[in-house]
Amino acid sequence: MADTPRRDTSEGPLIDVTDIVETQHIGPFVWALLFWTGMSMLLDGFDFGGISYVVPRLAQEWHAPVGGFGSVLGVGVFGFMVGSIVFGYVGDKIGRKRTILLGCWWFGAFVFASVWAPNVEVLMWLRFLAGVGLYAAVPNAIVLINEFAPSRLKGTWVVLMFTGFTMGMVVAGIVAAGLIPTFGWQVMFVLGGLIPFPLAIALIFTIPESVRFLTQHEERWSELAAVLTRMKPGLTIPANARFTIHEETFEKFSYRLLFAGPLLLITPLLWLFYISNSMATFFISGWMPTLIQSAGFTPGQAALTTSLNSVGATIGGLFAGVIMDRLGLMAVAVFPLFGALISFVIGYPMSTLALEALVFMQGFFVVGAQFACTALGPMFYPTSYRADGEGTALAVAKIGSIAGPVVGGVVIGMHLPLYQLFYVAAIPLLFSAVVSFLLGRVAQKSVPTYAIEAIAESAQPGPLAGM
């Protein structure tokens, strides 16, 4: 993908890319963009859901304690942390699209290699390396959608894309229930490792580079003009046009920029929200199949019941995006709060139907809040270091994502009653509710100038707001 030749723009008209983004209509271009970036999120969901179904089988086959696999779940997330930081920087340098493609290929190679893992230690390292590649793709896909979305719909668009994650978990549950009994645990790594390669090829032809990123690189303005005309059919762009965006620009990224001005309060609160909610989400999602089996369900029943958690997460994520766009950030606080209340009761003996309903509701509220987390970060940072800002936030969130599975493994190893295991998950959810409320308060009073439209106009319903 060579850069296009530099054009003569010395006398050309100045076109505001921000205005085109804000006034675009929802059509085939948008739906295709959401679908294909959502497919990259599906890889994440299938991988995370898949390993949670593989762990009970591996524990039996390798004669290892189930709790000892907390490191396998946690170290993969540590790879996500490294990938978020490294490839957030790469995405700001070479572009979102190229970094997404690189991440898909890297991730697929190490997931497929996991088929031959002989023990916990080797699997742990392969999970780490796969996680590095996966989080080359995820933060840059989030940023790509954020940079195409009009300010009033940023949350909704990111959440719509991120439903690919929960759909991946649903698919993982169905595949695990149907294929693992016949083909063994290896089938999850075979499918999870092969799918990224044709997907990456499809993404070459289906997703564009970020218009905001292209605006900052004059040598790629011909490519930018082509993307803008796809976004807004009927738009005429002169051959010598120049382009600009309404955002602050910085010559070089520095981590101090994440704490400049109002970000001094916003960034730490954002990080705390990411950490606490990620801890609960990965604790519950990572160990749900194991916990349900401990309640007397067969592995197949556990896989299908866990899939209800992912279905609830998909629906809850959509609601979280709409609520955030319409009512603001503080409204999102109700999601982890209700998730905590459900965690206080889900571990007690109950009928199968009641358990399935609570599993669904827990996905709705807990992962719904996680979707909101994902949509929040890019709103506060400008184009020049948005991928760095979001990548760093996602990397920091992995403190919770690592702690959740590891703490779960320790607690499961203590052989506590099932209801007490879910009590542990309720604690970070309560903390998350408090932090998200404070973040909303701070954002209302003092936000960066380039985030004012994303927050202040979020209450204006748009074409997708009624979904």
Side-chain angles (χ1 to χ4, degrees):
M1 293 182 292
D3 292 341
T4 54
R6 186 183 296 272
R7 305 178 304 160
D8 180 12
T9 60
S10 56
E11 301 295 330
L14 185 65
I15 294 178
D16 190 340
V17 173
T18 306
D19 287 343
I20 296 175
V21 170
E22 293 297 321
T23 59
Q24 66 181 298
H25 298 291
I26 309 302
F29 175 85
V30 171
W31 292 117
L33 181 64
L34 290 171
F35 174 80
W36 286 107
T37 52
M39 290 298 293
S40 67
M41 296 298 103
L42 188 143
L43 294 180
D44 190 2
F46 186 89
D47 178 71
F48 181 69
I51 190 65
S52 68
Y53 299 118
V54 165
V55 162
R57 293 288 182 138
L58 285 179
Q60 293 178 354
E61 185 171 319
W62 291 349
H63 305 291
V66 173
F69 283 85
S71 60
V72 172
L73 297 174
V75 79
V77 180
F78 183 68
F80 300 168
M81 179 187 293
V82 174
S84 294
I85 295 175
V86 172
F87 289 102
Y89 173 82
V90 172
D92 283 332
K93 296 300 180 184
I94 70 172
R96 322 310 187 199
K97 178 176 179 176
R98 293 173 178 175
T99 310
I100 292 169
L101 299 176
L102 174 62
C104 286
W105 290 322
W106 182 317
F107 166 72
F110 285 105
V111 171
F112 189 74
S114 301
V115 171
W116 294 280
N119 52 49
V120 174
E121 290 73 20
V122 172
L123 180 61
M124 182 178 66
W125 281 107
L126 290 171
R127 296 296 301 165
F128 167 76
L129 293 170
V132 172
L134 182 59
Y135 264 68
V138 170
N140 282 280
I142 294 168
V143 169
L144 181 67
I145 287 294
N146 190 277
E147 293 182 337
F148 272 103
S151 58
R152 70 186 186 280
L153 293 173
K154 288 184 184 294
T156 302
W157 283 27
V158 171
V159 166
L160 281 171
M161 176 202 68
F162 218 74
T163 57
F165 175 84
T166 51
M167 292 310 298
M169 293 184 66
V170 172
V171 172
I174 295 172
V175 170
L179 298 184
I180 287 181
T182 303
F183 299 101
W185 55 266
Q186 292 90 343
V187 69
M188 302 304 292
F189 292 138
V190 170
L191 293 177
L194 291 179
I195 291 173
F197 292 96
L199 175 60
I201 294 173
L203 293 178
I204 293 174
F205 302 102
T206 55
I207 64 171
E209 182 55 85
S210 160
V211 288
R212 296 181 184 268
F213 177 85
L214 292 174
T215 302
Q216 295 181 332
H217 296 80
E218 186 177 340
E219 71 278 6
R220 300 183 68 175
W221 279 1
S222 294
E223 181 182 349
L224 172 61
V227 175
L228 292 175
T229 55
R230 289 174 59 196
M231 287 177 62
K232 206 166 185 179
L235 178 67
T236 300
I237 298 179
N240 61 342
R242 297 172 295 133
F243 300 93
T244 186
I245 54 175
H246 282 150
E247 287 190 343
E248 298 178 49
T249 58
F250 300 87
E251 291 298 321
K252 184 178 180 181
F253 171 72
S254 169
Y255 284 103
R256 65 178 176 79
L257 295 174
L258 300 180
F259 302 93
L263 292 176
L264 181 62
L265 289 177
I266 289 175
T267 292
L269 286 172
L270 185 69
W271 289 0
L272 287 173
F273 187 29
Y274 273 48
I275 290 170
S276 57
N277 209 79
S278 295
M279 181 176 181
T281 299
F282 278 73
F283 176 96
I284 294 169
S285 299
W287 291 109
M288 181 71 77
T290 302
L291 295 177
I292 292 178
Q293 285 187 53
S294 71
F297 286 72
T298 66
Q301 290 173 326
L304 294 177
T305 302
T306 302
S307 295
L308 291 174
N309 185 269
S310 303
V311 174
T314 302
I315 300 172
L318 293 173
F319 271 88
V322 172
I323 287 173
M324 187 167 63
D325 281 335
R326 284 193 165 189
L327 303 179
L329 306 183
M330 286 190 293
V332 179
V334 302
F335 277 77
L337 178 61
F338 278 106
L341 295 177
I342 292 170
S343 293
F344 280 123
V345 300
I346 196 173
Y348 287 94
M350 63 186 70
S351 68
T352 300
L353 182 61
L355 176 62
E356 290 174 345
L358 287 177
V359 167
F360 173 87
M361 293 172 62
Q362 193 168 55
F364 183 97
F365 288 111
V366 175
V367 186
Q370 191 71 7
F371 275 36
C373 285
T374 306
L376 286 178
M379 292 183 177
F380 296 111
Y381 304 112
T383 298
S384 58
Y385 63 90
R386 182 169 290 135
D388 279 301
E390 175 68 357
T392 303
L394 288 171
V396 171
K398 300 315 167 192
I399 296 173
S401 303
I402 293 169
V406 172
V407 170
V410 172
V411 176
I412 288 173
M414 296 170 64
H415 305 289
L416 296 175
L418 188 61
Y419 70 89
Q420 291 186 9
L421 298 178
F422 283 99
Y423 282 0
V424 176
I427 296 172
L429 287 171
L430 291 173
F431 183 78
S432 180
V434 173
V435 172
S436 62
F437 178 81
L438 293 175
L439 180 62
R441 294 279 294 180
V442 172
Q444 280 186 338
K445 292 181 178 181
S446 181
V447 297
T449 57
Y450 41 80
I452 289 176
E453 289 186 354
I455 303 300
E457 295 182 9
S458 63
Q460 301 178 12
L464 299 182
M467 296 185 63

